Each structure stands twice: as structure tokens, then as C-alpha cells.
Amino acid sequence: MNADRRGSWGRIFRTFLSLNLLLAAAWFGAAPASADRVGLDTPEALYAPVGAVQLWVDVESQAARSGVVSISWRADSSWVPLALSSTVFGVTGSTAVSPGGLELRFSPAGRFSADVAITFADANGIIVEEHRLRNVPFDPARTFDGWITWNDMAAGNIPPGPSPSPMPSPGGGPDRQPNNLPGAHTNIQENHSSTSVTSPKSLGTTGAAGPLLVGILAGGVLSAVAGTVLVLRQRWLRAAQAPRDLAAGRAEQQGETR
Amino acid sequence: MNSRPFAAAVRGLFGGRFAGAVRMSVASVLAVTLAMAAVPPPAAAVSGDAVENLSAVRAAREPGFTPVPASLPAVDSGVGIGSRLSADASGEVFLGSAAEGEGAALIRLTVFEPGTSQTVYTTADTAVLHAQQGITTSTTVLLPMAAGSVELWTDAESDIRVEPLAYFHGDQVSGGATIALPEPVVQADTATGLAGSALTSVPLWIGLTGEGGVSATLARSVHVVLDVTLAEADDVVLGDGQRMALPTGRSIVATIVDAEDQGGVTVGLGRSGNTGTLRATVTGWVAEAAEDTSGANHRGSYVVNTEHRPATRLDVSAGTAPQEVRLSDDHDSAYALALVQASNVSGGDTTTLAWGPEVRGRSTGVAVDQAAGAQPQLALVPVDTGGTQLSIRRGSATVSLQPLGSFLGDPVPHHASDPAAITITSPADRQSLDLTETGYFTLEGTVSTGGNSVDRIAISSPDVGFIGLAELNPAGDELTWSFRALAPEDGDFDYVATVFDRSDPGTARASDRVRLTLDVAEEGDTVVSPEAQVFHLETTELEFEVLDEFSLRFTERPELEPGDIIVSAPLPSAPSGFLGRMSSMDLVSGSWEVSTIEVPLEELFLQVDIDETEDYGEGDDVAVQDLIAQTTDPLEVISGSYTPVGEDGTPGPEMPVSDVQVLDENGNTHSPLPGTYAQIAAGEDVDLELSSDEFNVPDPADFKTACRLPGTDGQEPLGEDIGDDGEWRAPVAHAPGDGSCGGQLKGPGASLSADWTTKVDASVAAVVENGVPKIRTAGKKLEPWEFEAWSEKQRGDEGGVAVRGGGELNLGFAFVLKTKLSFKWKVIPRGVSIEEFRIEFNSKLKASASVQAWLQVESRWNVNLKVAEVALPTTTFMAGPIPVAITNRLNFAMVINGTLRAEADIPAIGIERADTFGFVYSSAKGMKRIKEDTPTTYVLPKPRQVAGATAFSFEGEVAAGPQVSYQSRIYSFAGPDITLSARSGYAAKLGVTGIPPTEAEIEASIFLALGLTGSAKLTLLRWDLLNLTIFQVGVRLNLLEYRDKWRL
């Protein structure tokens, strides 16, 4: 009987949890793909536009000043490292480019998050195109052979780390969520902003419909309450079952010993 | 608003000067045409007066404003763009080829976490940025440019980021044009007491306009750099509403300020008990369009916010939605200029603020230090319909934002839901105005526009149609306007003010009307400018002290505004009175110092008839300063040169005389008493006629005079004969021969009442001793019979010449100023015609000399003795309510020169003249010189042997006589300076027969060396004859040529 009741509560809990996750996924899925890539035209593949003769790469955060080991780029087969300068904003590198496709990759030395800006300028220094990614997580453990490319950053294709421990925030505090939620690759900005989800305006920027958000929140609250109740109930049941299990276990041990 | 398309469009529009000129012309013609169409007279026909009124409208130019498109910094030395900022005080930073050809730049400077406190300087050692140790600091400042470079250096070489934000090449004719001063002007410095001795909660008043090139009356805004050091962190509060939170220690903030009516702004601290220092420097300004300029605002004009001006505080966080902000009053603004500061920074990152709907690209813009935030600084922000969005790139902060003004872009469509409004606030409807003494009145009001800024405010009347265009004046939270108007006759007139906005220059948006009863000035009325402020007329209490020709000091803050005309009757510190137009005011060590500029007389006397003749009565108040008697160093007043001449007539080197002595009759150094050489003669002591008793001629029969009649020989020019350069070439003419003048002198100058004279006497010997030329002056006035003995004692080994010269002069002058007002409906340039402006001197002059020469070798001598300075009393008379003060000074010198070889005594040479000279000007006829050809009475000299000498010879010529310089001043301004010299000359070749000589034969000529030179600094009148040379005439007037033979 107890097993049946546990199974029933468990199904309710799993249903709520699934619903909540589904709603969350729907919410994050409803957010525009540009939310992490500032500007609707932020590309996953970089292309130096016509007129561009300079490429500037900026990784902006306090930690980036010493946290970026290397940035290199290639327009063909060979990677060329950029000469990096540490600035008060982070780290900056530049190179001469010609119009056409190119790739960029970054090698972090530590774990931090930073904004990544790509700027193409003409011969007079006039900016012809620029892109920005907000709060990109850099972690040597979350790279491909030590490198993470712009394409992967822009696509949210950052490899999961070996540890689920939280990523340091720009201010040194913990991030609110790990970056491995469904759809998280499309919402780097929000995932790492300690204030983003607390502001109605920031919610408004996700593009999710109001009723859906209310539903998500309600579902979340309901899930939390139901989960808590279920957990407490499970603990209570476990506490009640424990002497029996203990006795049974001892019997089994004795049987095996024997 | 996306800045790039606009930038490109701006470049396209502003790129060509030719295109700009065409646009300007088209715009002005269009505006004028539309103005006529918009405010037609009742009969729908354009009246002649309206056409005349239109002709006074000046074409408006587009201000040169070129916003810089999104770019990499011109210099960002830390990442390899450009060089580090030099510590060399002559350092310059090149902003790029786009900056070449521009006159000024608005640039943002950023210093990143300096190792020690760092200061950045520009022209004239003006500090524009101070960063405390370890604090990233940025500022935005207006700087002048030359060849695309700005002057920048620092006290320690360092990395810097320089971001050009906009370029300017406007001039002050263009409404809203931003102009950088070539050299910044310090307007407050508590270290020196300028504006005050300390910055406290009691506000200091800082003058902003009228100096360094900033217009006194047409400055829409002023760019100022405030260098502040605070004992404790505090708010610095400006009188125009700006509030800047500054930390303890030094901060330098650049902003743009609205000057109050008196041309300044107050600066104080927010908290009482706190204290600080302040140095305020003006780096540039924004021009206001003058009255009757065809457009007040254009694309690129800077307009001051009067509605959206209060500061707001916003909490911004990275990753959240940008905060909507309204920065401009009008929707036709393209870029707003706002004062931005940031505090309460969290997140741990040094970052920048960002404008627009999304944060893009790399970090540029206002730097927000991770600890200190952003100090107050200007931000040039692209706006769309007056607003934009504000974000921070990383972390969060509280941003204080104060909109100040905007640069205009394209006009936007007019919306009836956002209407314009205009109100005439003065004079009141149905008011009666008496204009008989002031000529015109000022129509004033307020205006507000809808979506677009003001294009123009047209003033019209149903009686005439178009009258003119008003001048704008942003004043706090309202936009005011003014226009100087009048009417051609007495009566009731309606005046209508109509506002046109930029959306459609042909459509009136709003209007207001008043009906006024006017009593206007008529011909014969004395009309003076209502801008005149008269001092010291009915009070003996000193209201101000005159510091110099252009500066006054008030102990109390005067109720004066830039543009006011300050007039003062004579006062102790300014015996000539004072006249000047106020240009600026400064508070210096507790006193209010007012600077002025010259005022063309016709701007003060709009209509006047002044005709004053002055002969100074009996000379009671004429003061003589006896220069030779009073000097401690004779070289200050006595000068000369000596040139030996070879046997073949070739002159040797000219040797200046450096050995000058004043000697008594015994040859000892002597200090003469006052009156020795110059004095005033009055009553019976006046003697302007040559007579034998002033020469050592024992036998009166040996003294004869003759006369040259004027106009008989063409030797002397009349005023009209003298060229524009003041010169006149004398024809080669012989003396007309001996004549009789038939009694007393005639001619215009002869009518002068000669009740007083200035009388000068000096005896001087120019000698050579051991090859050294020397000049010796008798230590007292010598009587004719004493001169011979004194001369004998001066004779040196190698020769010399002694002269006893005298002169007597009487002077009078005439001042005539007749101006006529020709305004009908408004004040127009050159609307006051000068019917006659005359300054004329009349003088009677007598010059006499006795000469003794003992020169066995021919030599040339020039001797000049500055004998006396004569101050004539100030003449003051009233022109309506205005006191006019005129002063004249005379400088007397005795001039002796000659080239001769002689051993002879010429006891009597002399001339007697009456002269008239000066100039007269009228608008219709221009300038004419006044000079008469007058009779000259002269002595017939007869040489004789020097007493005791065995030789008797004379070959060459000698001339001696007075030189008088007239310096005339109207108020304290330079008027004409004219010098008249009249030297009586004698040239002869004498031969003797017998040893010792028994018979003499001479071929001689008597001449008058007449010199008339002078110039006038005629800035008093608005004509084009500045520093005019009136006379540059040197005439050798041959009076008599004769031969004689006599027994010795």
C-alpha cells in the first residue's frame, strides 16, 4: 500500500516537474535567438564585410584581463594568434583582414564569463560591422582541445564541464544556474545575469507571452510546493521504513554471512 | 537613431563649401520670399517699406556640424592606435584626415587607471582632465583644431583614448554654430581672486561672455571647463540648473552653460561648511542668430533645452532592457548633448555607458570606473524624436542624466496635436509709448514650438506687412525672443509676432498681436540709444572707477548687461568722461570689473545736432607742463643729431647726440625752474605779432616784415588738393615776391579770439668738441640781448650753431556732430546717417629765431626740444541726456635744423600764421580734409658778422620754429592726432670782399618749412577709414628771394 501511495505521489511530482520543465523549455525556446547575441544579425559564422580591413576582438570583463591566454584567427587553414593587450575592460586584439569568411577561437586560462565583441573597421577606422555576445562562459574545462570558437559561442555550443559546480559571476559570486539547461545555449545573457530574471523589463525582453510567463511562474511555484511536500513525505516514509529496512538488512547480512 | 545614415547624409550636405553657399543663398531667398508671403500687407501687395525691411534680412548660414560616425578611437595607445600622450607642452594629437579642414572638435578623452594622479592639458595650459590614481576617467571637451590636430599633453606620458565625437566649422553669423576659442579664457580662479577667493555654498558669479572672442550679446551657450578641488565630496551647482556630484580632491568637468542676462553664471557648493577651489575656463561658445537673420536654426544648429532640462536618475543594469530617456525638446534633433554621471557601480567591471536600443560592439563612450563610477561629463547622444535608450555594458550603476541641448537634424512633420505657441509679453496691448527720445522700443515675448525647433519669428504689421525677424534668447525654462521696432509716424499700430517652425518655413504656426500707440521721434529731436546708461551726471558720488580706456570697476554689482552703452560725465579718474559698450563683467577680488568695447558715435546718438566751438576763454584752466624744466634727465626731452659733410658735399655718418646738458650762464649744470621755457600768456601778455623788440636789432629800421598772400602761387595746398594718402606734391614754384598783407592776418583761423597763448622760449647751442657733438641748453629764458653773450660762451673748438627760438600759439577747435535717424519700422544697420562729423582746429602761431653760427666746415644739425605739454580743459556739453566730453592736449617742441657752413649772426627770422585744419565726414560725401591756404607774415632777415669775429660767411640754410602736436579725444577714445610745424627758414649764399671784409653781397631766400602730419583713429564712426592718415604734407613755402649788397 505504501509502495502504491509512494508511486502515486511520485507520479504527481514527476508530472509537475515535467510540466515545469516543459514550460521552462517553452519559455526559453520562445526567447529570440539574438538574446545572447546582441543584434539580430549576430552571426554564428564570421564574415568580414566589404570594406573591412581591420578586425578587433574584445573580451570584456575584469577577469578577462588575465583570463584569456590566447585568441587566434584564420581565414584559411592556418591559425594565427592575435597580439593581445590587456585593457581596463578586459583584453583586446586586432589584426588586418580582407573581406571574406574567417574563424576565431579563444583559449581561456581560468573560469570566468565575459562579453565578446567583434568589430570590423575600414581603413579610416569607421566601424562597418560589429557583433557582441553577452556573458560568454569561459572555462578551460569546457573547451574543445583548449579552444572555444566564436561559432560555438554564438551557437551556444559550449561543451559541458566535468563539474556541475557553478560558474563564477563577473562579480565573483555564483551564477544562478548552470549553463546546461535546455535552451541555455540560446540564453547565455540571462543565465548569467544576476539581475535579469528579477526585472519585469528583463522578462519582457525574452519575447515570451505574458500568460505563458505567468503559467511558468505558477507552475514553478506549484512544482516547488509539490516537490517540497513530496520530498518531506518521502523523508517521512523513509524514516518510518528505516527500522524495517535496517532490520531486514541486518537479516540479509546475517544470511550472507552465513 | 542610427547615426551612420545621418552621418553620411550630413557629410553629403555639409561636404562642399560651394554647396553650402548655394544652400545658404537658396535658404535665405526662400525664407525671405516665404516671409513676405506669410505676412502680407492688407492689400496683398508688397509695400515699399516691406521690401526695404526685407532688404535688411541677412542670409543665414548652416553651422558646420559633422558628427563622427561610429569609429575606432582616433587614439587608443594602450591597444596600439596612435601614440601615448606626450608630456611635451607642445604636444598635438592628430584626429585623422576627416578632421582636416574643420575648426573645432568635440572629443572624449579617457585615461585608464593611471599609476599616479594625472592631468591632461590643452592650449594655454588649460587642464581639461584630471584622473585620480587608479581611477579610469573620461571627459568630453570642445577644442580648437588646426590641420586636423588638437593640442593635448599630460604631466606624465601615458596611454590615452581620444574619441572625436563631432567636428565644427561654423562662424558666429550662423545661429547655433559651435565655435571653439583659439585660446581658452580663464574666467574664474579662486587662487587669484578672480570671481572669488573660495568655492563655498555661497555661489560665485563667473563672467562667461564677451571675452576671448565669445560674443557679448549673441552667445546662445558657452563651453566651460571647471577645475574644482573640494575639501569634501559635494555637489557643484551651476546657476543654469546643472548639478555635478564631485569627489573629494580634484576633478575637472567640461560642460556647456547658459549664461544669464549679465553674461555669467553662478557656481556654488551644495553643502554649507564645505569649501573648495575653482578655476573656470571658457573653451568655446554657441552663436545666436542676430536680429534679422533669415533663420535662427538650421541643420547642425545647437539649441538649448528649455523644457526637458531637469536631471533624472536612472538605475541601469547590464542585460536588462535599456532605459528610455528623453533628451531633446524637439523631435528634429539628431544628437542631444547631456551631462552624464554615474555612481553606485556594482559588478566589479570598469565599463562604459551605451546609448540606443541595444548594446553593440566594443566598449566606447562614457567610462564608468568599477569603483568611482563616471564623473560628470558631456555625452553626445544620437536621438530619435527627442529620445533614446540608456544602458550600461556590464554590471550596474545609478546614472544621473541632465539634458542640456541638441544638435538639429532634419525637420519632422508637423503634428497639430503638438502645436506651437507665441506670446508678446512686452509692451502690453493698448500701451502708449513715447519714443521721441529713444527712437525705438523692444518687442519681447516667449515662444514654444511643437515637434520642430523655431525657424524664425517674423514681426509684421498690417500697416506695412513684413517688418523683421526677431532674435531668440533661451532663458531658463522658456525660450524668449526680442525685436527692436518703431513706426515711421505717430499713431496706433498693430504689431504681430508669428512663429515658423522648421517643418515648413512657409506655414505660420502661431501668432500674437498687440496694438500700440506710438509717439515717435521727429526731425530735430535729439534721440539717443535706449541702451545708454548714464553715470555721474547728477551725483558727485563715484559710481565706478575708470581703470583704463576700456575697463571700469564697480564696488557694487551694477545693473548692466552686455550690450549696454556706458556713458559717464568727467570724473576724477576719467577727466575725459567715459564711453564704452559693455562686453563682459568679472568679479575680481570683490569688485565688479566691467570691460567695454568702442561705440560708434552714431550708435549712441541716433539723431543729434551738436555744434560746439571752443576757444578756452582766457586760458584760465589751461595747464602747462614745462618739460625741460621738470625733467631729471635732459636726454628725455632733448635730442639731436650731427652729420659732417665733406668738401664734395657728401654727408658722413649721422651721429646721434648723447651729450646733452642744461647750463646756466656760467656754463654750470643748472636745474631750471618751471616756467623757464613754457608758460601761458593772457591778456596784454599775448603777443602774436612779430616785432623788433623780440630780437636783438638795435636799430628798428633794420627790422622789416613782409607778407605772402594766400592763393597766389599754388605753393600751399587746400584740403581738397591733398590725396587720399594724405600727401600732396608741391609744384616747383618761385617766391611771389615781397608783398603787403594789408594789416592783420586774414583767413578762417584769423577769426580766433586770441585771449591767451602758450608761449615757449628756448636757447640751445649745438656744438662739436673734440669730435663729439653736444647740445647745451640755457638754464633760463634768455632775453634777446642776452643770447649773444650766452652763445659766445658755447663756442667750441670745432664749431657749432646756437639758436634762440621762441613761439606763441593760440588754439581753438570746433566739434560738429549731426546725425539723422532714418529708421522707419525697425533698427537697421547704417540706419543712422552722419550728416556732418567735423573736428577742426584753428590756431594762430608766431615763430621767431635768432641764429649764431661758427661752422667753418659744412655740417648738418637736427635738434629737437620737447618744451611743453599743454592740457586744455575738458569741454563737456549735453546732447540730450548724454554728456559729451572732449579733451585736447598740445605738445610743444622747438625744432632746429640746418645744413650750413657759416660764421655769421642772423638776428631775426620769423613767421606769423593763422591755420585751419582738420576733417569733416558725412555719410553722403565721405571724408574731406580741412586745410586752408592762409597768409604768412615773415621777417626779412639781415645777416651780420658775429661780434668780435673777423670772418663773415654764410652758405647753406637754417630753419627754426615750433612744432605743435594736437591730440584730440572724445571721451577717452583716440580722435585725431595732428602735428603742425612751422619753421621759419633762411637760405643764403653770402660773399664778402676785403680783408677784413668790407663789403657783403648775398643771394638769399626766406621760406616757411610747413609740416602738417596726422592721423585719426576713426573707430568712433562706422566707416571704413580706420587709422586714416589725414595729412602727410611737407611744404617748403618760398616766401621771398632776393639779392642784396651792402657795406660792412
Side-chain angles (χ1 to χ4, degrees):
Chain A
M1 181 180 174
N2 284 340
D4 292 340
R5 289 174 62 185
R6 278 204 307 273
S8 174
W9 279 109
R11 279 194 298 276
I12 294 170
F13 174 73
R14 282 192 294 274
T15 303
F16 267 110
L17 189 60
S18 301
L19 181 62
N20 192 30
L21 290 174
L22 196 63
L23 290 170
W27 172 34
F28 291 121
S34 62
D36 60 330
R37 300 171 294 186
V38 178
L40 295 173
D41 55 349
T42 303
E44 293 180 6
L46 286 174
Y47 191 89
V50 173
V53 299
Q54 305 174 62
L55 165 66
W56 286 80
V57 182
D58 294 88
V59 183
E60 296 179 357
S61 78
Q62 180 72 12
R65 298 170 73 160
S66 57
V68 176
V69 173
S70 178
I71 303 173
S72 55
W73 75 287
R74 68 179 178 184
D76 45 34
S77 58
S78 57
W79 288 98
V80 180
L82 298 182
L84 299 182
S85 302
S86 177
T87 73
V88 299
F89 304 116
V91 66
T92 297
S94 68
T95 182
V97 294
S98 300
L102 58 88
E103 289 181 274
L104 267 177
R105 64 179 186 177
F106 304 77
S107 174
R111 299 173 60 221
F112 59 92
S113 66
D115 299 345
V116 179
I118 303 298
T119 305
F120 294 101
D122 69 10
N124 294 318
I126 295 173
I127 295 170
V128 292
E129 195 171 300
E130 57 189 356
H131 310 291
R132 179 170 178 255
L133 295 174
R134 276 268 307 147
N135 271 350
V136 175
F138 286 91
D139 185 347
R142 301 174 62 190
T143 59
F144 297 104
D145 298 328
W147 294 94
I148 181 167
T149 66
W150 167 272
N151 304 42
D152 288 336
M153 289 179 188
N157 188 24
I158 299 172
S163 165
S165 62
M167 184 74 69
S169 74
D175 276 350
R176 194 162 279 204
Q177 298 178 31
N179 190 31
N180 54 4
L181 287 173
H185 67 281
T186 62
N187 196 21
I188 295 170
Q189 176 175 342
E190 279 70 26
N191 288 344
H192 291 270
S193 169
S194 60
T195 57
S196 61
V197 296
T198 62
S199 164
K201 286 188 177 179
S202 70
L203 291 174
T205 61
T206 64
L212 182 59
L213 293 176
V214 172
I216 292 167
L217 289 172
V221 171
L222 208 54
S223 298
V225 172
T228 304
V229 171
L230 286 173
V231 168
L232 289 174
R233 184 178 177 279
Q234 280 184 315
R235 285 184 179 174
W236 176 76
L237 289 173
R238 280 178 185 153
Q241 182 69 22
R244 289 194 292 270
D245 292 346
L246 186 63
R250 284 176 181 160
E252 286 175 6
Q253 281 182 343
Q254 286 170 1
E256 286 174 1
T257 306
R258 281 193 296 265
Chain B
M1 180 176 174
N2 187 344
S3 65
R4 266 178 271 170
F6 173 65
V10 164
R11 233 176 286 116
L13 280 168
F14 288 67
R17 300 289 168 87
F18 173 74
V22 171
R23 279 195 309 283
M24 184 181 70
S25 304
V26 170
S28 71
V29 169
L30 181 66
V32 164
T33 307
L34 290 173
M36 293 182 71
V39 283
V46 178
S47 69
D49 281 357
V51 172
E52 185 180 329
N53 290 337
L54 283 166
S55 68
V57 174
R58 288 159 297 211
R61 301 175 189 169
E62 287 182 350
F65 167 68
T66 307
V68 177
S71 305
L72 298 171
V75 175
D76 198 350
S77 56
V79 296
I81 304 176
S83 305
R84 287 160 65 84
L85 192 60
S86 165
D88 181 355
S90 62
E92 291 187 348
V93 173
F94 182 59
L95 300 182
S97 56
E100 291 177 308
E102 303 282 357
L106 189 67
I107 61 173
R108 183 186 297 111
L109 307 171
T110 308
V111 171
F112 302 106
E113 297 178 357
T116 59
S117 292
Q118 184 183 349
T119 306
V120 178
Y121 298 88
T122 188
T123 314
D125 295 338
T126 304
V128 292
L129 172 65
H130 181 77
Q132 296 188 12
Q133 181 181 3
I135 304 296
T136 294
T137 310
S138 64
T139 192
T140 296
V141 64
L142 178 71
L143 295 180
M145 277 198 308
S149 295
V150 294
E151 291 187 29
L152 282 177
W153 70 92
T154 182
D155 46 9
E157 183 177 301
S158 67
D159 284 323
I160 192 167
R161 175 183 276 190
V162 181
E163 298 168 86
L165 306 179
Y167 300 125
F168 307 92
H169 63 260
D171 61 41
Q172 61 187 55
V173 178
S174 311
T178 298
I179 300 161
L181 299 185
E183 189 153 305
V185 179
V186 177
Q187 293 285 27
D189 190 352
T190 53
T192 62
L194 178 59
S197 56
L199 184 62
T200 66
S201 59
V202 178
L204 305 177
W205 191 89
I206 301 172
L208 295 177
T209 61
E211 293 184 53
V214 180
S215 171
T217 56
L218 291 171
R220 190 175 281 188
S221 291
V222 181
H223 283 264
V224 187
V225 175
L226 304 172
D227 189 342
V228 178
T229 301
L230 297 180
E232 297 174 20
D234 205 343
D235 285 353
V236 171
V237 183
L238 272 58
D240 70 346
Q242 296 186 59
R243 196 173 189 96
M244 306 162 177
L246 298 182
T248 301
R250 187 179 183 190
S251 306
I252 300 177
V253 178
T255 187
I256 186 167
V257 175
D258 298 331
E260 61 183 37
D261 288 343
Q262 287 192 298
V265 70
T266 57
V267 181
L269 296 180
R271 289 192 292 109
S272 60
N274 196 6
T275 187
T277 64
L278 170 68
R279 184 179 169 91
T281 308
V282 172
T283 61
W285 59 293
V286 179
E288 186 57 82
E291 210 174 69
D292 267 346
T293 302
S294 63
N297 292 308
H298 313 269
R299 187 185 177 89
S301 292
Y302 175 79
V303 293
V304 179
N305 276 18
T306 54
E307 298 171 26
H308 295 91
R309 199 166 173 86
T312 55
R313 287 170 68 86
L314 304 166
D315 291 325
V316 291
S317 296
T320 64
Q323 297 268 27
E324 294 287 336
V325 289
R326 178 72 188 265
L327 296 178
S328 302
D329 284 352
D330 303 311
H331 291 179
D332 56 346
S333 300
Y335 287 83
L337 205 51
L339 188 73
V340 179
Q341 46 199 316
S343 58
N344 301 329
V345 180
S346 65
D349 287 325
T350 290
T351 185
T352 58
L353 298 180
W355 304 95
E358 61 186 9
V359 181
R360 302 175 64 94
R362 60 201 302 266
S363 276
T364 59
V366 173
V368 181
D369 183 81
Q370 58 182 317
Q375 70 159 12
Q377 60 198 281
L378 292 174
L380 183 69
V381 184
V383 289
D384 189 9
T385 62
T388 186
Q389 300 83 25
L390 172 64
S391 308
I392 191 167
R393 295 177 61 89
R394 295 188 64 78
S396 63
T398 300
V399 177
S400 174
L401 190 61
Q402 177 152 28
L404 300 174
S406 302
F407 294 95
L408 298 180
D410 292 326
V412 298
H414 174 73
H415 286 290
S417 60
D418 192 7
I422 188 166
T423 305
I424 298 173
T425 56
S426 176
D429 190 28
R430 304 288 172 181
Q431 190 172 342
S432 295
L433 301 176
D434 181 357
L435 307 180
T436 54
E437 293 182 353
T438 57
Y440 63 88
F441 67 98
T442 302
L443 206 58
E444 296 175 311
T446 59
V447 64
S448 64
T449 51
N452 291 279
S453 53
V454 174
D455 177 74
R456 66 188 188 279
I457 293 170
I459 308 300
S460 62
S461 173
D463 297 281
V464 62
F466 176 78
I467 296 178
L469 301 175
E471 178 183 309
L472 297 179
N473 177 29
D477 58 357
E478 62 182 7
L479 182 59
T480 66
W481 55 268
S482 64
F483 183 79
R484 295 171 298 169
L486 65 156
E489 58 191 11
D490 294 350
D492 293 344
F493 298 92
D494 282 8
Y495 289 87
V496 181
T498 306
V499 60
F500 298 79
D501 69 20
R502 294 183 64 230
S503 67
D504 181 0
T507 301
R509 295 299 178 201
S511 65
D512 194 17
R513 171 187 297 234
V514 289
R515 186 169 185 80
L516 303 174
T517 301
L518 302 183
D519 185 6
V520 303
E522 297 173 355
E523 192 166 351
D525 288 340
T526 296
V527 182
V528 297
S529 170
E531 296 169 324
Q533 306 288 333
V534 181
F535 293 85
H536 304 123
L537 194 57
E538 296 175 349
T539 176
T540 54
E541 188 177 338
L542 200 60
E543 294 179 85
F544 61 71
E545 178 187 358
V546 176
L547 300 178
D548 58 38
E549 193 177 359
F550 297 106
S551 305
L552 308 172
R553 178 189 289 147
F554 292 78
T555 52
E556 301 289 333
R557 183 171 178 171
E559 294 182 359
L560 293 169
E561 294 180 7
D564 283 349
I565 298 174
I566 302 168
V567 189
S568 171
L571 64 159
S573 63
S576 303
F578 190 87
L579 172 64
R581 188 185 287 278
M582 177 179 168
S583 59
S584 64
M585 185 165 74
D586 295 301
L587 182 58
V588 182
S589 301
S591 297
W592 298 85
E593 292 190 3
V594 171
S595 297
T596 65
I597 57 173
E598 294 176 359
V599 187
L601 275 183
E602 76 274 27
E603 290 185 4
L604 173 62
F605 299 111
L606 304 180
Q607 185 163 278
V608 76
D609 187 349
I610 302 170
D611 190 344
E612 285 287 322
T613 300
E614 185 63 66
D615 60 12
Y616 300 106
E618 296 187 348
D620 291 338
D621 295 322
V622 178
V624 173
Q625 192 178 353
D626 192 334
L627 296 178
I628 297 178
Q630 293 180 6
T631 187
T632 54
D633 179 4
L635 274 172
E636 290 179 348
V637 291
I638 301 171
S639 60
S641 67
Y642 161 75
T643 307
V645 179
E647 287 294 326
D648 60 353
T650 305
E654 183 174 329
M655 303 164 65
V657 179
S658 57
D659 188 340
V660 175
Q661 297 173 309
V662 179
L663 303 174
D664 64 11
E665 58 269 37
N666 298 316
N668 300 319
T669 302
H670 183 68
S671 296
L673 298 172
T676 300
Y677 303 97
Q679 58 189 321
I680 297 298
E684 293 180 352
D685 292 335
V686 172
D687 182 5
L688 283 167
E689 291 185 26
L690 294 162
S691 61
S692 62
D693 57 5
E694 58 197 278
F695 301 103
N696 185 21
V697 182
D699 184 357
D702 290 339
F703 181 81
K704 293 178 183 176
T705 62
C707 186
R708 171 188 171 273
L709 294 173
T712 55
D713 52 16
Q715 289 195 91
E716 186 169 358
L718 299 173
E720 56 264 35
D721 300 328
I722 299 169
D724 290 341
D725 57 359
E727 294 187 359
W728 178 76
R729 293 188 182 281
V732 177
H734 293 286
D738 198 359
S740 169
C741 293
Q744 291 198 335
L745 294 175
K746 296 175 183 174
S751 64
L752 185 66
S753 169
D755 294 330
W756 67 278
T757 58
T758 303
K759 188 178 281 189
V760 295
D761 285 279
S763 296
V764 60
V767 300
V768 177
E769 287 184 349
N770 301 319
V772 177
K774 299 178 180 178
I775 296 174
R776 295 168 183 163
T777 304
K780 67 169 191 172
K781 175 185 174 184
L782 297 178
E783 297 298 334
W785 57 89
E786 294 176 314
F787 171 65
E788 191 173 322
W790 181 83
S791 171
E792 187 176 352
K793 290 181 180 176
Q794 310 310 320
R795 291 174 192 169
D797 298 336
E798 298 174 43
V801 59
V803 177
R804 175 182 170 272
E808 196 162 339
L809 178 127
N810 175 253
L811 176 80
F813 86 99
F815 175 87
V816 177
L817 178 63
K818 296 177 181 175
T819 62
K820 188 177 177 185
L821 187 72
S822 59
F823 302 151
K824 281 187 178 177
W825 292 96
K826 62 179 174 180
V827 177
I828 56 174
R830 297 180 183 269
V832 176
S833 60
I834 298 170
E835 305 291 290
E836 182 178 353
F837 177 60
R838 175 194 295 264
I839 294 183
E840 181 182 292
F841 295 99
N842 297 305
S843 70
K844 280 184 176 177
L845 170 75
K846 180 182 75 173
S848 60
S850 302
V851 179
Q852 290 210 338
W854 59 99
L855 293 160
Q856 295 175 352
V857 178
E858 185 178 358
S859 58
R860 180 183 300 164
W861 286 92
N862 288 298
V863 177
N864 185 306
L865 291 81
K866 295 176 184 172
V867 181
E869 206 171 270
V870 180
L872 300 168
T874 298
T875 299
T876 306
F877 49 87
M878 297 299 293
I882 304 295
V884 181
I886 296 180
T887 54
N888 286 297
R889 296 183 74 86
L890 308 179
N891 284 281
F892 270 97
M894 288 296 299
V895 178
I896 303 162
N897 52 23
T899 302
L900 71 166
R901 177 170 58 192
E903 290 183 88
D905 176 11
I906 307 163
I909 57 176
I911 55 103
E912 190 184 316
R913 294 258 306 181
D915 282 290
T916 300
F917 50 90
F919 65 87
V920 59
Y921 172 85
S922 70
S923 300
K925 298 178 180 176
M927 210 278 289
K928 288 187 174 180
R929 293 163 176 79
I930 298 171
K931 187 198 167 300
E932 306 290 344
D933 181 359
T934 61
T936 306
T937 298
Y938 56 92
V939 176
L940 297 170
K942 187 171 184 179
R944 64 191 182 194
Q945 275 185 280
V946 176
T950 54
F952 184 31
S953 65
F954 193 101
E955 184 172 357
E957 67 179 44
V958 63
Q963 174 176 289
V964 190
S965 296
Y966 305 79
Q967 295 175 323
S968 189
R969 298 289 181 269
I970 305 168
Y971 298 105
S972 54
F973 292 101
D977 286 358
I978 298 176
T979 298
L980 171 72
S981 63
R983 285 169 293 128
S984 177
Y986 183 64
K989 184 172 184 180
L990 182 140
V992 294
T993 55
I995 302 175
T998 55
E999 192 173 72
E1001 185 175 5
I1002 196 167
E1003 184 178 338
S1005 66
I1006 304 166
F1007 63 91
L1008 166 65
L1010 183 69
L1012 190 57
T1013 60
S1015 60
K1017 190 182 174 189
L1018 298 173
T1019 49
L1020 286 173
L1021 295 173
R1022 196 162 48 190
W1023 80 59
D1024 301 327
L1025 299 175
L1026 209 64
N1027 293 322
L1028 172 80
T1029 298
I1030 304 175
F1031 300 114
Q1032 195 62 49
V1033 176
V1035 177
R1036 182 188 176 99
L1037 205 61
N1038 293 315
L1039 300 172
L1040 181 67
E1041 293 168 353
Y1042 67 96
R1043 292 171 182 271
D1044 197 9
K1045 190 175 183 179
W1046 71 100
R1047 292 192 61 77
L1048 299 173

